[in-house]
Amino acid sequence: MKQTLRIPYARRLYLWLLGYSAILLGCFLVFQYTREREFKSSELNAQLQIVNSYILDELGRGKDMKEVDLEGLHPFGDLRVSVIDSKGKVIYDNSLDSLPHDSHLLRQEIRDALSRGTGFSVRRHSQSTGLSYFYSARKGESGYVVRTAVPYSVTLSSLLRADYGFIWFMCIVTVVMCVLGFFATRRLGQHISRLNRFAENAEKGLKIYDTEPFPHDELGDISNHIVRLYASLQKAVSDRDREHSAALKQEREKERIKRQLTDNINHELKTPVASIRVCLETLLTHPYLSREKREEFLKRSFTNIDRLSKLLADVALITRMTEGGDAIARTQVDLTSLIIDTIQDCRPAAEAAGIEITMDIERELKMRGNAQLLTSVFHNLIDNAVAYSGGSEICISVKYANTIRCTLTVADNGTGVDPVHLPRIFERFYRVDKGRSRAAGGTGLGLSIVKNAILLHHGKISVENRPTGGLLFTITLPLAY
């Protein structure tokens, strides 16, 4: 089969960029040239209109055209002056020996002057003199039209020519942008070419090694994840095939590893479902298990069902906040009392972990909000500190408060978090320590719920490591909005 010649995507993208830049530059040049030419024409017309007004004033005083002195009134060397009556007949022209007999009513500058008072024509060939002129006309109170004209010579042509300096500047800027676009699209093309080679090798079933990392950017990170994931999957499949003849326990272990790898790719909600299924399958296929073993499998199932319920509840809550934030009911909430009640609710678990919870809020803080969501904010922050901080104290205090807003802090004296994790700590299902989070029963949605609840109340939240150890959450909430 004959292979069709195909232009690489990066080159096509660059050609599209060049075409777009050329169209944009062309439109700008046409617009700039037209506007500048119109401006200079209007400026020249304004100079000639001064002469026209002067001539009309002199004629109004009863002077004859031959008596009107234009010396020093204009900078033009050769100025043609004509006087036309309201019927379009030329009654005076300083450049002609004999006056023309044809009507000038159809001339653009005369027609505009009779209808609007003034008019001009940029370039028109004169049948009387055989030259091209720039005409400017003005109608006087007597009905006569005074028209001045400047020959369209090389000097006037240069005057009306657009300033090309700015146009050349824009051309240079466009060229620079195209050069930068070339390097950007080439970099993108390198990403795509490598991904294409990876996809071809994967389709052929070739061995993929994670030895050639992509550049460190967003697309490079995604590509690295894909390659590492596929390399890990190949290794798992290879291990599974190599151990195919092993015992049933080893086979089940391989399946568990395979499920674990696959589950890491799939959604976080599938983890408890898979665990429940394993327990129930074991109970069904081994009806003669001891009572202790049966209870062990049942307790394990119940634990995962409880975790799944928490997951579903957290997902439902965060989805409701994300999609239906405006529909969530808001009432007057006593924030101080709410925090006190939350601390009392969390204190037994904290004391069991050897952690003391203290509060430093002396004044009453009231705001309009949703009590359930605000409770979940402080409940999740305290639960996280109890489960993962490794410290001995949790303190909730007021950093700043007035009649408009307040700033609260929730701090612990534990081990804190590696700074590399802090920017992503509020992401859904993001865990700093996945194994420990799952062992503690965490859903990975607690801090995401906290952030969304704070944003829903038009507030802000940030997190940082304390210099003395532990995490410090800073929450700003409006007390009136």
Side-chain angles (χ1 to χ4, degrees):
M1 183 176 179
K2 186 177 180 180
Q3 187 175 6
T4 304
L5 181 63
R6 184 177 60 178
I7 301 176
Y9 176 77
R11 189 168 299 174
R12 281 182 286 152
L13 183 62
Y14 182 63
L15 291 176
W16 293 336
L17 176 63
L18 287 180
Y20 173 78
S21 301
I23 293 174
L24 185 64
L25 180 62
C27 293
F28 175 80
L29 292 181
V30 172
F31 173 78
Q32 178 70 13
Y33 179 81
T34 304
R35 286 290 301 273
E36 192 167 355
R37 186 177 178 85
E38 289 178 355
F39 171 76
K40 291 186 175 181
S41 298
S42 299
E43 188 176 19
L44 178 59
N45 177 57
Q47 296 181 31
L48 293 177
Q49 289 293 351
I50 295 175
V51 178
N52 295 338
S53 299
Y54 174 77
I55 294 174
L56 287 171
D57 290 342
E58 293 296 298
L59 294 177
R61 293 189 180 97
K63 289 186 178 181
D64 187 78
M65 272 302 304
K66 296 180 180 180
E67 299 174 355
V68 177
D69 184 15
L70 301 179
E71 188 69 26
L73 190 62
H74 61 85
F76 309 106
D78 187 8
L79 183 67
R80 180 182 178 184
V81 180
S82 306
V83 180
I84 300 97
D85 62 14
S86 59
K87 297 181 179 180
K89 183 179 179 181
V90 179
I91 60 176
Y92 175 80
D93 193 309
N94 66 345
S95 63
L96 301 177
D97 296 332
S98 61
L99 299 178
H101 300 288
D102 57 323
S103 176
H104 280 50
L105 290 179
L106 297 180
R107 307 294 171 88
Q108 178 183 344
E109 70 279 2
I110 304 300
R111 185 174 63 248
D112 292 343
L114 290 174
S115 60
R116 299 198 302 262
T118 62
F120 71 92
S121 178
V122 176
R123 184 172 188 174
R124 197 185 72 246
H125 183 74
S126 174
Q127 298 178 356
S128 303
T129 64
L131 301 176
S132 295
Y133 290 91
F134 180 97
Y135 293 97
S136 176
R138 176 179 288 272
K139 179 184 176 182
E141 295 181 357
S142 61
Y144 290 105
V145 175
V146 172
R147 183 183 68 181
T148 52
V150 179
Y152 207 93
S153 60
V154 176
T155 304
L156 183 59
S157 177
S158 301
L159 177 64
L160 296 178
R161 184 180 297 118
D163 183 8
Y164 293 106
F166 186 70
I167 296 176
W168 279 113
F169 172 76
M170 289 301 301
C171 292
I172 294 173
V173 170
T174 303
V175 171
V176 172
M177 291 178 61
C178 290
V179 171
L180 295 177
F182 169 76
F183 288 105
T185 53
R186 188 178 66 171
R187 182 182 179 87
L188 179 62
Q190 292 172 349
H191 280 304
I192 296 175
S193 297
R194 288 190 56 191
L195 280 176
N196 185 50
R197 290 196 301 269
F198 161 75
E200 290 177 351
N201 293 334
E203 184 179 12
K204 296 175 182 178
L206 300 178
K207 189 71 174 179
I208 303 297
Y209 297 96
D210 183 21
T211 58
E212 188 181 0
F214 285 79
H216 185 63
D217 53 28
E218 289 80 359
L219 183 57
D221 291 341
I222 294 174
S223 304
N224 282 322
H225 291 321
I226 294 174
V227 173
R228 285 197 297 267
L229 186 62
Y230 187 80
S232 300
L233 182 61
Q234 275 193 330
K235 184 178 184 303
V237 173
S238 177
D239 292 342
R240 183 200 62 186
D241 294 340
R242 190 169 53 250
E243 298 173 2
H244 184 69
S245 59
L248 179 61
K249 182 178 180 180
Q250 293 175 332
E251 187 68 26
R252 287 182 176 178
E253 183 64 14
K254 287 192 300 181
E255 290 296 324
R256 186 189 67 80
I257 294 174
K258 180 182 176 182
R259 279 200 307 273
Q260 181 179 8
L261 181 61
T262 305
D263 290 342
N264 287 336
I265 303 172
N266 293 328
H267 199 274
E268 196 64 38
L269 287 173
K270 293 185 179 181
T271 301
V273 175
S275 181
I276 294 170
R277 181 177 180 179
V278 171
C279 293
L280 294 180
E281 284 180 351
T282 305
L283 291 173
L284 289 174
T285 56
H286 299 78
Y288 301 108
L289 285 175
S290 64
R291 181 176 180 180
E292 290 78 8
K293 284 290 183 181
R294 294 177 66 84
E295 288 183 356
E296 179 184 347
F297 283 114
L298 288 174
K299 288 179 180 179
R300 190 182 303 172
S301 298
F302 180 79
T303 299
N304 282 282
I305 289 173
D306 183 60
R307 183 184 172 199
L308 182 60
S309 298
K310 291 179 180 179
L311 276 171
L312 294 174
D314 286 349
V315 170
L317 178 59
I318 201 168
T319 301
R320 185 161 62 97
M321 285 191 294
T322 303
E323 298 180 357
D326 296 336
I328 293 178
R330 290 176 171 83
T331 58
Q332 194 72 13
V333 177
D334 187 342
L335 192 59
T336 305
S337 298
L338 183 145
I339 295 174
I340 293 174
D341 293 341
T342 304
I343 291 175
Q344 295 300 326
D345 187 42
C346 296
R347 181 162 278 134
E351 291 177 349
I355 297 176
E356 180 184 2
I357 305 177
T358 60
M359 186 183 78
D360 183 15
I361 303 177
E362 297 180 355
R363 57 169 290 183
E364 188 179 62
L365 303 173
K366 289 188 176 182
M367 64 177 293
R368 185 167 181 80
N370 185 280
Q372 180 185 358
L373 294 182
L374 292 171
T375 299
S376 71
V377 169
F378 295 98
H379 213 297
N380 275 299
L381 291 176
I382 295 174
D383 286 346
N384 268 16
V386 170
Y388 310 120
S389 71
S392 61
E393 182 182 2
I394 302 171
C395 180
I396 302 177
S397 60
V398 173
K399 182 178 180 181
Y400 174 83
N402 57 19
T403 58
I404 299 177
R405 63 184 177 90
C406 68
T407 300
L408 303 169
T409 60
V410 180
D412 63 73
N413 62 347
T415 57
V417 172
D418 191 327
V420 73
H421 297 293
L422 288 179
R424 301 185 59 191
I425 201 169
F426 293 108
E427 292 182 11
R428 300 180 187 182
F429 297 110
Y430 184 79
R431 292 184 173 94
V432 175
D433 187 342
K434 295 184 178 180
R436 186 180 177 190
S437 298
R438 289 196 176 95
T443 65
L445 288 172
L447 291 181
S448 181
I449 290 175
V450 169
K451 182 176 181 179
N452 280 273
I454 293 298
L455 294 178
L456 193 65
H457 286 82
H458 308 287
K460 298 178 181 178
I461 183 170
S462 60
V463 61
E464 60 182 311
N465 283 312
R466 299 175 65 192
T468 57
L471 283 180
L472 174 66
F473 290 89
T474 303
I475 302 170
T476 301
L477 289 170
L479 298 180
Y481 64 91

